[in-house]
């Protein structure tokens, strides 16, 4: 007999697009997923990861009891023992030296969970030492957009690409990384209309903008699934984006295509930009980037003329030693052409993980208090007053700085909620050594991850379908989802674990559940003030912040009138045309890495889904046919890949996806982990690691 079947609304736990769908539950067990046709993002479609996400819920590898490391491996312990031991260490550190504790929060967890973890770190322990994977991802975005535009978020909603005439995508591969967003892009491409801009372009520059008014320009060293659909593909050499973007800006200025009125009314700093590019040589830029000058000019002219134009960028921009500068260069290009604060004209950092926007808003960050308040004594006073507890005024360490401190014995407690840093942070063996130096490593996860295997205490967490809470997607859409099934065994939702810790620590504050935590979030963060659980239950598919009061409908487009900066204007800041990677005789290749549609980040979840493994299941070294030929290697051969930071054996895949001189390895697998090849160079402003653009060589074995 078929048991009772019910549907539970949920939000996809993977990427920041924030697709909504239903889980199908029979007799208390999830047995499938069902699409929702009127959801504003997923709109009746799910990518392979979303479609199979439900398979993780019942996976036999789920953690079901707290574990403690002993000499003979892990042994199950009671929650009481686990919480008591952690609380004891926390109490001791809080008393002696709070900055010897470090917290890693999670873009997989809810706003409520991230808010509570940072509040524990700040008020109970007394440290700003908290960070999460945004450091590895869009920390340059947070730094550059907060400084230049006053707000660290995507300016326009996803469906607004329908209003754009030009889409400039750089260092971003949405066809694989945000398939839901890419669907909106594909829809926009299908539109056709006659265009005045096209006629002008033909008359003035002899440029044929082609049949459709919608133009898609993609800048990526790889011929990606996204790039093959572009009208123009700028295939620059990795690490030369500062030169490429400056060349586009120079073209726009020289051709007189700037928006003078916008520059005057809404920005400062334009003259310095013009001055900085006085001697900039476009031929030289073309030589450095290896992109024909005419193509760079054509892309720039289309971006500036075929307006409104939207920029989408991703990890190919941020994950460099000059990541913050690169984001700034894109902002400059948008500002001088007036492509911001209007429908179809946006600057869109497509945020990676399901709740990375929310985890940043909540300030799971060492250099901001909640709501992007800078860490200053004045803001500390305001926050202490609001919470009735003191908060520390020293900035914490970036996660990427913490490892070096840990290596010298400077960290006693590392509390990791829902991250897998051994695989995701730069330098696999370096992170392993650091984990070994820390007295107490606590990992709270749904699986015994590579990192958890090095922990002292492992706490079994409930995953998204097993808890109630909110997540904020890349377009600032705050969505509520409620518990659908129970966690397995003794696993508990992250919030329950943190509340148990609070109790054991004798905290002066507590909450009776996620809704009460959300009330504290609303009180603390002005952009969330008008959002309530009650409203979210009615408005199922969420509300976009800023939402200042309970009657406010939410804000799809930012900066329409003024920028939230001190003078209401955006800052144009010139960026040095730096080249960040140099090949040598010893290391003649450039290694980059990135994502496949089938797998997710460190793969702990997707490597457990058979349907996804059938397509891709291991690290492969992508190399161009020309390079393979000159090295005399064949598809499937095993070679040694060596960079200044590490070397490992890896299987070869020959493909025209990468150009000559460039190598690519996906970052989801552990045979070998791609971060074995990455070093500890970071962008000094944002702390992001230089993941992309590593000099490399291939040794035949
Ligand atoms: N399927 C899937 N989807 C995901 C994820 C996943 O793991 N799998 N992860 C999510 C997360 S956390 C994030 S942050 C996003 C990231 O989404 P994306 O930003 O799209 O991610 P990547 O594939 O890392 O990098 C994007 C592109 O940068 C290019 N690139 C490399 N070096 C350079 C360079 O020097 N210059 C330029 N311009 N481009 C370069 C690469 O070829 C790649 O195509 O995806 C999210 N969505
Ligand atoms: N070389 C290279 N390295 C990279 C990148 C790159 O492009 N190249 N990209 C970087 C980027 S952009 C990112 S975002 C990071 C990602 O780095 P991580 O965040 O470390 O990677 P994930 O695999 O997303 O890890 C999430 C963990 O959360 C667990 N989890 C899932 N749901 C829950 C839950 O509800 N509760 C708890 N407690 N745990 C849960 C999963 O099992 C998993 O272990 O990697 C970075 N590393
Ligand atoms: S596009 Fe992103 S949010 Fe949507 S189903 Fe795929 S992984 Fe999930
Ligand atoms: Mo990310």
């Amino acid at each position: 007999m078929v048991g009772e079947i019910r549907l539970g609304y949920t939000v996809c736990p993977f990427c920041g697009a924030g697709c909504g769908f239903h889980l199908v539950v029979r007799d208390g067990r999830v047995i499938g997923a069902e699409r929702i046709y009127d959801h504003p993002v997923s709109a009746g479609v799910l990518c392979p990861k979303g479609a199979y996400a439900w398979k993780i819920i019942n996976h036999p590898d789920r953690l079901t009891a707290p574990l403690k490391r002993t000499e003979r491996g892990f042994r199950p312990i009671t929650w009481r023992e686990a919480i008591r031991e952690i609380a004891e260490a926390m109490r001791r550190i809080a008393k002696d030296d709070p900055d010897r504790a470090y917290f890693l929060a999670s873009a997989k967890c809810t706003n409520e969970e991230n808010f509570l973890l940072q509040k524990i770190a700040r008020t109970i322990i007394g440290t700003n030492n908290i960070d999460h994977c945004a450091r590895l991802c869009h920390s340059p975005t947070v730094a550059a957009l907060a400084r230049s535009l006053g707000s660290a978020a995507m300016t326009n909603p996803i469906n607004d690409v329908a209003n754009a005439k030009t889409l400039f995508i750089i260092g971003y591969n949405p066809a694989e990384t945000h398939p839901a967003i890419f669907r909106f892009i594909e829809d926009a491409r299908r539109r056709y209309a006659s265009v005045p801009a096209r006629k002008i372009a033909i008359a003035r520059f002899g440029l044929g903008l082609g049949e459709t008014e919608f133009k898609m320009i993609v800048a990526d060293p790889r011929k990606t699934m996204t790039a093959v659909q572009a009208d123009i593909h700028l295939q620059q050499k990795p690490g030369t984006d500062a030169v490429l973007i400056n060349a586009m800006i120079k073209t726009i200025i020289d051709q007189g295509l700037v928006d003078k009125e916008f520059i005057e009314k809404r920005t400062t700093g334009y003259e310095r930009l013009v001055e900085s590019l006085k001697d900039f040589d476009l031929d030289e830029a073309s030589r450095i980037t290896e992109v024909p000058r005419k193509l760079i000019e054509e892309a720039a002219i289309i971006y500036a003329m075929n307006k409104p134009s939207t920029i989408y960028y991703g990890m190919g921009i941020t994950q460099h030693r000059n990541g913050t500068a690169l984001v700034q260069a894109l902002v400059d290009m948008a500002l001088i052409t007036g492509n911001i604060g209007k429908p179809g004209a946006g600057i869109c950092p497509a945020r990676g993980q399901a709740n990375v926007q929310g985890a940043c808003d909540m300030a799971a960050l060492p250099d901001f208090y909640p709501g992007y308040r800078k860490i200053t004594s004045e803001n500390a006073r305001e926050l202490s007053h609001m919470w009735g507890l003191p908060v520390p005024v020293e900035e914490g360490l970036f996660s990427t700085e913490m490892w070096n401190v840990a290596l010298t014995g400077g960290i006693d407690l590392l509390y990791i909620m829902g991250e897998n840093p051994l695989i995701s942070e730069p330098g696999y063996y370096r992170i392993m050594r650091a984990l070994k130096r820390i007295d107490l490593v606590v990992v709270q996860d749904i699986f015994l991850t590579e990192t958890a295997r090095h922990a002292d205490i492992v706490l079994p967490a409930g995953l998204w379908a097993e808890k109630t809470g909110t997540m904020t997607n890349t377009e600032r859409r705050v969505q509520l989802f409620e518990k659908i099934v129970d966690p397995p065994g003794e696993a508990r939702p992250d919030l329950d674990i943190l509340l148990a810790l609070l109790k054991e620590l004798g905290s002066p504050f507590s909450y009776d559940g996620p809704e009460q935590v959300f009330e504290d979030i609303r009180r603390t963060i002005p952009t969330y003030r008008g959002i309530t659980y009650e409203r979210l239950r009615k408005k199922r598919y969420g509300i976009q912040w800023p939402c200042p009061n309970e009657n406010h409908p939410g804000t799809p487009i930012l900066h329409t009138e003024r920028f939230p900066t001190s003078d209401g204007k955006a800052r144009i800041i010139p960026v040095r045309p730096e080249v960040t990677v140099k090949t040598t005789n010893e290391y003649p290749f450039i290694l980059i890495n990135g994502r496949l549609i089938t797998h997710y980040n460190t793969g702990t979840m997707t490597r457990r889904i058979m349907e996804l493994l059938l397509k891709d299941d291991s690290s492969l070294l992508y190399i161009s046919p020309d390079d393979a030929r000159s090295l005399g290697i064949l598809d499937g051969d095993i070679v040694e890949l060596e960079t200044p930071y590490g070397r490992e054996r890896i299987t070869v895949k020959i493909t025209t996806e990468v150009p000559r001189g460039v190598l690519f390895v996906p970052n989801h697998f552990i045979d070998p982990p791609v971060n074995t090849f990455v070093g500890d160079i970071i962008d000094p402003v944002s702390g992001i690691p230089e993941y992309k653009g590593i000099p490399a060589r291939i040794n035949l074995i």
Side-chain angles (χ1 to χ4, degrees), residues 12 14-15 17-19 46-47 49-50 179-180:
C12 180
F14 292 116
C15 89
C19 290
L46 291 174
C47 84
K49 292 180 301 305

Side-chain angles (χ1 to χ4, degrees), residues 423 427-428 591-594 619 641 664-678 691:
I423 305 299
Y428 178 71
L591 172 68
I592 58 175
N593 51 69
S619 285
L641 176 62
F664 175 85
V665 178
N667 62 331
H668 311 296
F669 307 103
I670 50 169
D671 52 348
V674 73
N675 284 322
T676 321
F677 306 110
V678 175
Y691 286 125

Side-chain angles (χ1 to χ4, degrees), residues 86-87 90-91 94 98 101 103 112-130 363 387 389-392 413 415 417 444 494-503 505 507-511 520:
I86 299 164
M90 284 184 169
R91 243 183 261 120
F103 295 82
E112 292 75 0
E113 290 157 350
N114 282 292
F115 182 82
L116 185 50
L117 189 64
Q118 64 82 37
K119 194 165 173 184
I120 291 174
R122 295 198 153 107
T123 63
I124 308 277
I125 312 298
T127 180
N128 284 314
N129 271 345
I130 181 162
W387 287 348
L389 288 165
V391 294
L413 165 71
Y415 193 106
M417 169 175 88
Q444 181 172 314
D494 296 272
L495 196 77
D496 290 11
I497 302 174
L498 299 180
L499 289 173
L501 247 177
L502 263 188
K503 197 161 162 218
L505 286 162
S507 153
F509 63 90
S510 187
Y511 307 90
D520 200 4

Side-chain angles (χ1 to χ4, degrees), residues 390-404:
V391 294
V393 285
E394 286 273 296
E395 284 192 5
L397 295 169
F398 295 148
S399 69
T400 43
E401 296 171 330
M402 177 270 291
W403 301 110
N404 285 338

Side-chain angles (χ1 to χ4, degrees), residues 133 137 315 352-353 595 601:
C133 68
C137 185
M315 299 300 102
Q353 300 224 35
R595 292 155 166 85
N601 288 352

